[in-house]
Amino acid sequence: MTIPPTPMDTVTLERRVAARPETVFGFLTDREKWLSWMGQDGSFAFEPGGSYRVTVTGRDVAAGRFITVDPYRRVVFSWGWESGPLPVPPGSSTVEITLEPTTEGTLLRMIHSGLPTTEACEAHAESWQHYVDRLAARAEGTDPGPDTWTRQPEG
């Protein structure tokens, strides 16, 4: 079977996590748990149509809305930057995270689609790898340490 190539506007990531889908899901639908792997502060309404706004790295603010929240299986949300390094407006792209149970724990699949440029895809691929690794560490019960990408606001 041939796997079709990833569209040019899409980042795809898979990560095995040594934790049950119920545990991983909690890190996608609980404010304190979310902020333990990505972000310094934020507000979240973890329900379809609910908005979120998270200060990711100190100055960079991501925002969007939750589209699907399917317990222990799938979370879909729109994504973009209110302020940040890339021209991806809030709500202009979509992140889909699926959780598949495995004998070792969970296979997490992330598909971020609708990114406007190759540069945006490359930057988000690097960023999501960084943050999914942090999420996996938290879900597995370890401490990934301080986020080395965090910046303090200027002034």
Side-chain angles (χ1 to χ4, degrees):
M1 179 168 129
T2 303
I3 298 173
T6 300
M8 296 299 285
D9 70 343
T10 301
V11 170
T12 302
L13 174 70
E14 287 191 351
R15 175 72 154 77
R16 295 192 180 277
V17 182
R20 295 173 49 153
E22 295 84 351
T23 301
V24 178
F25 187 80
F27 285 89
L28 300 170
T29 58
D30 175 277
R31 179 185 182 276
E32 295 308 314
K33 288 182 179 179
W34 182 300
L35 294 175
S36 77
W37 62 273
M38 183 174 74
Q40 293 183 306
D41 193 20
S43 59
F44 302 86
F46 295 107
E47 60 188 21
S51 64
Y52 73 89
R53 184 175 187 274
V54 60
T55 303
V56 178
T57 62
R59 290 187 303 219
D60 303 333
V61 177
R65 294 200 172 274
F66 288 91
I67 299 164
T68 303
V69 180
D70 184 3
Y72 318 128
R73 296 180 47 203
R74 187 168 168 249
V75 176
V76 181
F77 51 95
S78 63
W79 175 270
W81 296 101
E82 282 185 4
S83 61
L86 298 166
V88 181
S92 67
S93 64
T94 303
V95 177
E96 177 181 14
I97 300 172
T98 57
L99 307 174
E100 180 182 322
T102 67
T103 55
E104 302 82 29
T106 302
L107 176 61
L108 180 151
R109 283 190 187 100
M110 173 183 283
I111 300 171
H112 188 163
S113 59
L115 293 165
T117 64
T118 300
E119 293 78 20
C121 284
E122 290 169 357
H124 281 85
E126 180 183 5
S127 296
W128 282 123
Q129 185 66 61
H130 172 79
Y131 285 111
V132 168
D133 286 348
R134 292 180 57 77
L135 181 151
R138 285 289 185 196
E140 292 170 352
T142 62
D143 184 352
D147 186 354
T148 58
W149 288 13
T150 298
R151 299 183 298 196
Q152 297 303 315
E154 292 179 0

